[in-house]
């Protein structure tokens, strides 16, 4: 098998910082135009997070799983990393790796090793591991990961999950990583329009700035807003219910509002289109806050909903619409192939686009992780 680049098992981006990938070509007639990242959208420093790599694997001698300290890709190799042992006592020692004392450990990743004693191991970005820990906490049926501390993750179950999701010699897991275009094949290629793939999904400066200036309501809410827990919300619809053909017309507005809370926004639009009674039920500000929590679990760092009257002027509907739009990259592969310019003034938050994309494979990992953890605990 020939050589290939190595990709993060969580996001499928290059498991090291790419080099010489920022475009310096401004002439659209140049055949290489578009075969690099747009410097108006990203720079070299923005990709530093991709060099923060850890490796998870299984020690062949003890059969115990481990996570290394910082790992550095060995230039010129297709699957080798220099690794610091970190705090994990299960990491292979220099003696186990047949290395001289004091020398950095070397681990092969993904493929079956030929001359080292470790079994398969899997590289990941620390920022992507943060996304995974949040997905695990969100989906944990036992709620033991509700504090999102990575120390609470069952490394044995996680390593077993990666082993089951991996096909021999493949430099990534067998997962749907979303729209990554042609960037990930045998080698990593940079393309104009796919800057989100190399944008930090963990600490997102532009998102933090948005949080600092959340949109405000254009009118003053009643003093009782938001309502206390357990207190019914009485809403007067704009029109009286006179829809005899509408089966939902028999329900009071507060019941229709509560029912609407459990519907995804796409389903909610259909519901309100089909039912005049539902359509005339006013959706409260707190309704939109709940939908942010329900439909945007990747916004774990969003400020909590304030409960005092001075701060409750945040327009959560506008926040929902803003971040739903800004977490999607509307620069499609078709646009890239036709060399259409990305407008850098557009308000897409590239790090958030990447976080939202990575969230989906992390949820797939989480499903299998909890199955294996449950099996391990019952043995």
């Amino acid at each position: 098998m020939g050589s290939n680049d190595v990709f993060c098992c969580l996001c499928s981006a290059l498991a090291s910082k790419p080099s010489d990938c920022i475009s310096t070509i401004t002439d659209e007639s140049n055949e290489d135009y578009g075969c690099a990242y747009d410097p108006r959208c990203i720079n070299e420093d923005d990709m530093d997070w991709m060099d923060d790599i850890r490796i998870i694997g299984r020690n062949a001698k003890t059969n115990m799983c481990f996570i290394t300290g910082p790992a550095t890709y060995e230039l010129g190799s297709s699957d080798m990393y220099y690794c610091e042992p970190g705090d994990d006592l299960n990491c292979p020692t220099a003696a186990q790796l047949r290395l001289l004392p004091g020398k950095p450990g070397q681990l092969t990743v993904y493929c079956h090793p030929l001359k080292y004693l470790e079994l398969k191991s899997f590289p990941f970005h620390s920022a992507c591991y943060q996304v995974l820990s949040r997905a695990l906490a969100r989906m944990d049926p036992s709620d033991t990961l509700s504090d999102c501390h990575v120390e609470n993750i069952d490394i044995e179950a996680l390593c077993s999950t990666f082993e089951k999701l991996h096909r021999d010699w493949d430099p990534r897991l067998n997962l749907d990583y979303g729209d990554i275009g042609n960037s990930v094949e045998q080698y990593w290629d940079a393309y104009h329009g796919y800057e989100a793939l190399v944008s930090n999904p963990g600490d997102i400066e532009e998102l933090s700035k948005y949080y600092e200036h959340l949109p405000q309501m254009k009118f003053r809410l009643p003093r009782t807003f938001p309502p206390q827990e357990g207190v019914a919300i009485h809403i007067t619809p704009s029109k009286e219910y006179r829809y005899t053909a509408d089966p939902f017309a028999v329900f009071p507005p507060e019941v229709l509002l509560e029912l609407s809370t459990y519907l995804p926004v796409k389903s909610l639009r259909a519901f309100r289109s089909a039912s005049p009674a539902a359509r005339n039920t006013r959706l409260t500000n707190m309704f939109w806050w709940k939908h942010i929590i329900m439909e945007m679990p990747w916004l774990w760092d969003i400020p909590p909903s304030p409960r005092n009257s001075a701060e409750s002027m945040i327009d959560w509907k506008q926040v929902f619409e803003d971040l739903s739009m800004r977490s999607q990259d509307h620069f499609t592969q078709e646009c890239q192939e036709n060399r259409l310019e990305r407008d850098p003034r557009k308000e897409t938050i590239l790090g958030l686009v990447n976080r939202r994309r990575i969230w989906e494979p992390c949820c797939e990992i989480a499903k299998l992780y909890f199955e294996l953890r449950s099996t391990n605990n019952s043995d």
Side-chain angles (χ1 to χ4, degrees):
M1 178 180 176
S3 63
N4 55 264
D5 284 334
V6 179
F7 309 110
C8 169
C9 65
L10 300 178
C11 74
S12 196
L14 193 65
S16 60
K17 179 180 175 179
S19 59
D20 301 325
C21 61
I22 304 297
S23 178
T24 58
I25 300 173
T26 58
D27 182 7
E28 292 187 28
S29 63
N30 190 307
E31 63 179 8
D32 291 327
Y33 179 84
C35 296
Y37 296 129
D38 188 339
R40 298 172 299 174
C41 300
I42 200 164
N43 58 50
E44 293 285 349
D45 292 341
D46 292 334
M47 297 183 288
D48 285 347
W49 67 279
M50 300 182 74
D51 268 338
D52 188 2
I53 298 290
R54 301 293 188 275
I55 295 176
I56 184 172
R58 188 183 300 275
N59 190 317
K61 188 170 184 178
T62 64
N63 202 38
M64 300 293 291
C65 297
F66 62 86
I67 291 182
T68 69
T72 304
Y73 180 66
E74 181 183 357
L75 295 177
S77 74
S78 61
D79 53 13
M80 190 76 67
Y81 283 79
Y82 292 112
C83 305
E84 297 179 20
D87 299 326
D88 197 322
L89 299 178
N90 294 317
C91 262
T93 64
Q96 290 171 350
L97 294 175
R98 299 178 183 173
L99 297 172
L100 295 175
K103 296 293 184 180
Q106 291 177 302
L107 289 174
T108 54
V109 294
Y110 289 119
C111 62
H112 289 294
L114 300 178
K115 64 176 181 177
Y116 294 101
L117 297 181
E118 81 275 7
L119 298 176
K120 284 184 184 179
S121 53
F122 307 91
F124 57 83
H125 302 115
S126 294
C128 296
Y129 196 61
Q130 179 185 358
V131 179
L132 175 64
S133 69
R134 295 287 179 168
L136 291 172
R138 173 86 174 195
M139 300 178 64
D140 186 6
S142 64
D143 204 33
T144 56
L145 284 169
S146 58
D147 55 4
C148 301
H149 289 170
V150 295
E151 293 83 359
N152 295 334
I153 295 176
D154 186 331
I155 302 303
E156 171 66 35
L158 185 60
C159 188
S160 297
T161 299
F162 291 162
E163 290 168 345
K164 283 187 173 294
L165 290 172
H166 183 247
R167 295 179 296 196
D168 288 348
W169 303 105
D170 203 347
R172 63 184 66 79
L173 300 183
N174 185 24
L175 291 169
D176 181 1
Y177 290 103
D179 181 15
I180 53 180
N182 296 322
S183 295
V184 181
E185 292 183 352
Q186 187 172 358
Y187 299 101
W188 180 264
D189 291 314
Y191 289 104
H192 179 66
Y194 286 91
E195 293 80 10
L197 298 179
V198 293
S199 299
N200 192 339
D203 299 324
I204 306 173
E205 182 180 356
E206 195 171 353
L207 181 61
S208 298
K209 291 179 180 178
Y210 178 83
Y211 289 155
E212 292 174 0
H213 304 284
L214 291 171
Q216 302 292 301
M217 303 286 288
K218 294 181 174 58
F219 58 89
R220 184 169 296 277
L221 295 169
R223 289 186 178 182
T224 56
F225 184 88
Q228 298 178 357
E229 294 295 332
V231 177
I233 307 173
H234 297 286
I235 304 171
T236 302
S238 58
K239 297 179 181 180
E240 294 182 1
Y241 292 143
R242 296 177 180 176
Y243 312 106
T244 56
D246 183 359
F248 294 98
V250 299
F251 296 106
E254 54 266 29
V255 172
L256 292 174
L257 178 64
E258 183 67 17
L259 177 62
S260 299
T261 300
Y262 297 97
L263 295 176
V265 167
K266 289 183 179 180
S267 300
L268 179 64
R269 293 192 184 102
F271 176 46
R272 289 170 70 83
S273 176
S275 169
R279 186 165 57 251
N280 283 311
T281 298
R282 183 172 64 86
L283 303 179
T284 66
N285 201 31
M286 190 54 62
F287 167 90
W288 290 105
W289 162 254
K290 291 180 179 179
H291 267 267
I292 290 173
I293 301 303
M294 181 175 70
E295 295 194 40
M296 301 179 176
W298 26 268
L299 288 177
W300 62 75
D301 44 6
I302 194 168
S305 175
R307 302 197 68 82
N308 67 68
S309 57
E311 295 181 321
S312 62
M313 295 295 291
I314 295 173
D315 188 344
W316 291 115
K317 179 182 179 182
Q318 188 63 52
V319 172
F320 181 94
E321 292 175 347
D322 286 350
L323 296 183
S324 177
M325 180 64 66
R326 299 183 71 178
S327 62
Q328 301 178 64
D329 198 344
H330 304 283
F331 190 91
T332 63
Q333 185 175 3
E334 179 182 357
C335 293
Q336 189 270 332
E337 290 173 349
N338 288 285
R339 298 188 174 185
L340 299 181
E341 282 291 332
R342 173 200 290 277
D343 185 350
R345 297 169 296 176
K346 295 294 184 183
E347 295 188 345
T348 300
I349 301 177
L350 295 178
L352 190 58
V353 172
N354 205 23
R355 181 192 290 183
R356 182 174 180 175
R357 177 186 67 85
I358 298 169
W359 184 266
E360 295 304 321
C362 283
C363 286
E364 291 302 309
I365 290 170
K367 292 176 184 177
L368 182 55
Y369 166 87
F370 288 118
E371 291 178 11
L372 295 176
R373 190 185 70 171
S374 177
T375 302
N376 293 342
N377 292 341
S378 63
D379 290 342

